[in-house]
Amino acid sequence: MVKAGDSIPSVELSVGAPDKKVKLSDELATGKGLIIGVPAAFSPTCSDSHIPGYVTSPKTKDAGKVYVVSVNDAFVMNAWGKTLDADKKSGITFAADPGAEFTKALGLDFDAIAAFGNVRSKRYAIVTEDGKVKSVHVEDVPSKVDVSGAEKVLG
């Protein structure tokens, strides 16, 4: 599992459409950053509390470049982003990890076949600085928001 001091995996994610690729290792190579991982776009905990906490927090702007990553397709992530942050005031980018490659590279995948039909991401928040992991906040139970919530991660 990813830990402080690790480099961000060099794995392509999709933003907005399947052909629009981004590597968080490149995007977060300099400055501050935050990667928020969730089990599923549009799921109750993700949509009702976890991500809205970051969208509405005034401290999110101080976190640097912020990405929400989920094992979903780019169209779903794009639609979810529009639902949670229609005016894009938060500056958060919603990125798709459709094959769970980024999630697996972090060691934050879990078997969610019974609930979602495939492997999914654990719920987490990773604070980065200059391309390195500064801190990792992973929930023990994917349906709960405690250590990975905005109030704990952003202070």
Side-chain angles (χ1 to χ4, degrees), residues 21 61 75-76 103 125 154:
K21 304 293 186 186
K61 297 261 188 226
F75 298 121
V76 167
T103 301
L154 300 176

Side-chain angles (χ1 to χ4, degrees), residues 44-58:
T45 304
C46 303
S47 294
D48 297 340
S49 61
H50 194 205
I51 302 309
Y54 286 98
V55 170
T56 60
S57 175

Side-chain angles (χ1 to χ4, degrees), residues 46-128:
C46 303
S47 294
D48 297 340
S49 61
H50 194 205
I51 302 309
Y54 286 98
V55 170
T56 60
S57 175
K59 295 181 179 180
T60 300
K61 297 261 188 226
D62 298 329
K65 293 181 180 177
V66 180
Y67 292 85
V68 171
V69 178
S70 185
V71 180
N72 285 107
D73 66 70
F75 298 121
V76 167
M77 291 302 288
N78 190 43
W80 192 42
K82 288 178 180 177
T83 300
L84 294 178
D85 190 17
D87 55 13
K88 298 187 179 190
K89 284 186 180 177
S90 72
I92 296 172
T93 300
F94 288 77
D97 184 19
E101 292 175 26
F102 183 78
T103 301
K104 288 177 182 177
L106 292 172
L108 293 173
D109 56 301
F110 76 100
D111 180 344
I113 292 172
F116 298 115
N118 59 358
V119 170
R120 291 295 176 125
S121 172
K122 293 181 181 180
R123 184 178 308 283
Y124 67 85
I126 297 173
V127 177
T128 71

Side-chain angles (χ1 to χ4, degrees), residues 10 17 19-20 23 25-26 33 39 41 57-58 60 90-91 101 104 117 133 139 145 153:
S10 181
D19 62 337
K20 295 181 181 171
K23 286 185 181 179
S25 57
D26 295 339
S57 175
T60 300
S90 72
E101 292 175 26
K104 288 177 182 177
V133 172
E139 300 293 346
V145 177
V153 175

